[in-house]
Amino acid sequence: LTGVFLRFWLVSAASASFIRERYRADRGCSLSTITSDDISSEQFCAFETADAADKYGRLHLQFGESGCQFRLSRCMPGFCYIIRDFSTLLSRDLNITALENFENVPPNTGVFKNASIEGGSLRFSRGGVVIAPEEQEVVINYSTKTCAEYYAEHGREFPQICNAKIGIISNVQLLFEAVEDLNCKAGL
């Protein structure tokens, strides 16, 4: 009887832990401001992450980040930028670090729950978050979906990665097409 109780208790504890991880919305922020001393002459309108990029240049985020903020410096006002969101790849490939080519990626539902900008405008697009700075320095506020919110849209995935950071976004990139509703122009 003790063995049966112990197994029941272990399974219950593991299930409760998994459920808690799925709904966590209190994780620390992965993206941060590059301090002015750290900005190289080639870096424009970029942020940094707590973890290094993966070998394909994708930056790490985690489900359930909330109340996060970072500053982008040296942006070119009037131009379109994008933070590419590769979260749609999770639903097609469990080993997303093995993918090198992002051509013909279908539209995604995104990892970001919300985002706002001070000093410009933004909108969510099929490929990520499009940013149109009106000043050289802008502030981005964001939260990511909880694991449960994300996998509610991708329910057949296994394993559902809830408690690890995943290389899932790009750094800010100049967009090579104009976005009329944001009144920004294409990069050169």
Side-chain angles (χ1 to χ4, degrees):
L1 186 62
T2 303
V4 171
F5 175 75
L6 181 60
R7 275 189 231 140
F8 173 75
W9 182 81
L10 287 173
V11 168
S12 297
S15 295
S17 175
F18 178 72
I19 290 170
R20 270 193 309 275
E21 287 297 316
R22 290 182 59 73
Y23 292 94
R24 278 189 69 180
D26 61 350
R27 297 189 192 276
C29 303
S30 297
L31 311 180
S32 61
T33 302
I34 297 176
T35 59
S36 59
D37 296 341
D38 296 336
I39 295 178
S40 73
S41 59
E42 295 87 34
Q43 288 179 306
F44 290 92
C45 216
F47 55 83
E48 64 184 12
T49 61
D51 302 309
D54 67 16
K55 65 181 180 179
Y56 302 110
R58 290 183 299 246
L59 306 177
H60 294 86
L61 272 182
Q62 193 166 17
F63 294 118
E65 295 184 17
S66 62
C68 300
Q69 181 181 83
F70 61 90
R71 183 177 310 277
L72 299 174
S73 298
R74 299 174 62 193
C75 299
M76 294 184 295
F79 283 87
C80 304
Y81 293 88
I82 188 167
I83 299 172
R84 298 207 185 273
D85 182 340
F86 302 119
S87 61
T88 189
L89 298 176
L90 289 177
S91 64
R92 293 194 337 198
D93 183 48
L94 296 178
N95 182 10
I96 64 172
T97 59
L99 295 176
E100 294 183 47
N101 185 348
F102 296 112
E103 291 178 11
N104 300 318
V105 175
N108 61 43
T109 55
V111 69
F112 290 101
K113 183 173 188 169
N114 57 53
S116 64
I117 188 170
E118 298 168 22
S121 53
L122 67 73
R123 77 171 169 91
F124 293 97
S125 75
R126 291 171 41 136
V129 180
V130 178
I131 302 166
E134 295 166 0
E135 303 170 12
Q136 285 191 344
E137 192 167 283
V138 297
V139 175
I140 306 285
N141 299 290
Y142 76 94
S143 295
T144 60
K145 293 178 182 175
T146 65
C147 185
E149 289 168 331
Y150 179 79
Y151 287 115
E153 299 164 353
H154 302 279
R156 293 179 278 193
E157 295 309 311
F158 184 81
Q160 293 186 355
I161 305 164
C162 291
N163 60 354
K165 290 187 177 183
I166 304 168
I168 206 165
I169 63 168
S170 72
N171 209 319
V172 179
Q173 300 172 343
L174 198 56
L175 195 58
F176 294 106
E177 59 188 70
V179 180
E180 288 185 25
D181 62 331
L182 290 181
N183 198 26
C184 61
K185 55 189 170 192
L188 306 173

